[in-house]
Amino acid sequence: DGGIEYNAQASPRGPDRAVCIVRRVDSARADDIADTGARPPPHLDRRGFLQRFKESTSWAAMRETPLALAVIHIDGIADIAQVLASQVSEQVMSLAIRRLPLPPQTAAGAEPPWYLGQLGDSLLALVFESADREPIEACLAKVCSSLREPVRTGDAEFHLTPCAGVAILGQDAAAPKLLLEQARAAAMEVRRSGSGQDVRFFTDTLKLRTLARMDLTRELRDAIANGDIRLRYTGRHDLKSGRLAACVGYLRWQHPLRGEIRPAEFLRVAAATGLAASLSRAVLAHLRRDFS
């Protein structure tokens, strides 16, 4: 169009709807910018990073030196890929990685040496040659702060939300695979909690999860006995006539101190502790009374 080249990508979104993304094709892309040499390139190749991580854990175990692994899950990348295109999400991720703070070249400073790798489209990993919590937390706070800054590409601006989990070699796990799983579990716990906290260690996560589950089990049993878990009804209407077509019931537990607790939180506890049948009977009894 007028000598300017555009790219159009269409994808179906249901039986009667499609989304078409039209973007200008620029000759110079942001992810093709030549590196200045001041920043050591991260191990964006997953296989290469995992190999280096296994070597690091083996050396640390033999030399009895500390090592910690941090996994950062970045919310927003998957949404960009789904709504726009995977090329856009890859470009946003590349720009976010390029502006991360530089790792220290030596262990002389307060910040421990670390190196970066990418485990997936929205998953980063940092390997620290340290097990001290304070410097690791301080370093991850800087990294997460950088990732939270808006990423601008073209005339668009994207906002990302990082959640970091840390596992320590020897203290949390001895094998690289298990250490990686525990760091990811801690990161997912930060993501689920929605507390605004960026970093959590696996040991703390495990303790908090165990205590919280014990409290929730006791409170769930009392709530079932007292009839505190009810159904919240929402109408479904025909858009042409406005006629009420159906009522949908959702579980609702209004806790006196914690506020409304999501079903996803207490249904797993009910299934794991044998309270699922009692909960079902109590809710169905309320359903009968609600209809009458």
Side-chain angles (χ1 to χ4, degrees), residues 46 49-50 53-54 57 69-72 119 123-127 165-169 172-187 202:
R46 180 177 180 179
F49 169 76
L50 289 175
F53 170 56
K54 289 179 182 178
T57 53
L69 172 67
V71 170
I72 304 177
L119 297 175
L123 213 61
L124 298 177
L126 280 78
V127 179
V166 185
I168 299 174
L169 182 67
D172 298 322
K177 184 177 180 181
L178 185 56
L179 196 70
L180 179 60
E181 291 176 357
Q182 291 178 341
R184 291 187 66 173
F202 176 78

Side-chain angles (χ1 to χ4, degrees), residues 92-140:
V92 171
M93 189 70 165
S94 177
L95 291 171
I97 291 174
R98 284 178 180 274
R99 68 182 188 189
L100 289 177
L102 292 170
Q105 300 299 321
T106 63
E111 184 176 320
W114 55 271
Y115 60 88
L116 172 72
Q118 187 171 1
L119 297 175
D121 294 338
S122 56
L123 213 61
L124 298 177
L126 280 78
V127 179
F128 293 91
E129 297 178 9
S130 172
D132 293 336
R133 293 177 56 128
E134 288 188 6
I136 291 175
E137 280 186 294
C139 178
L140 286 174

Side-chain angles (χ1 to χ4, degrees), residues 36-114:
T36 60
R39 173 186 298 275
H43 282 254
L44 300 184
D45 172 44
R46 180 177 180 179
R47 184 175 298 178
F49 169 76
L50 289 175
Q51 182 63 33
R52 183 179 179 185
F53 170 56
K54 289 179 182 178
E55 293 173 358
S56 298
T57 53
S58 298
W59 277 106
M62 286 190 296
R63 296 175 176 178
E64 296 183 350
T65 54
L67 186 90
L69 172 67
V71 170
I72 304 177
H73 184 278
I74 304 176
D75 275 333
I77 295 294
D79 297 332
I80 296 170
Q82 184 177 4
V83 175
L84 298 178
S86 58
Q87 293 88 346
V88 180
S89 64
E90 290 169 5
Q91 186 176 3
V92 171
M93 189 70 165
S94 177
L95 291 171
I97 291 174
R98 284 178 180 274
R99 68 182 188 189
L100 289 177
L102 292 170
Q105 300 299 321
T106 63
E111 184 176 320
W114 55 271

Side-chain angles (χ1 to χ4, degrees), residues 181-192:
E181 291 176 357
Q182 291 178 341
R184 291 187 66 173
M188 291 299 105
E189 190 69 21
V190 176
R191 187 185 180 199
R192 280 193 295 267

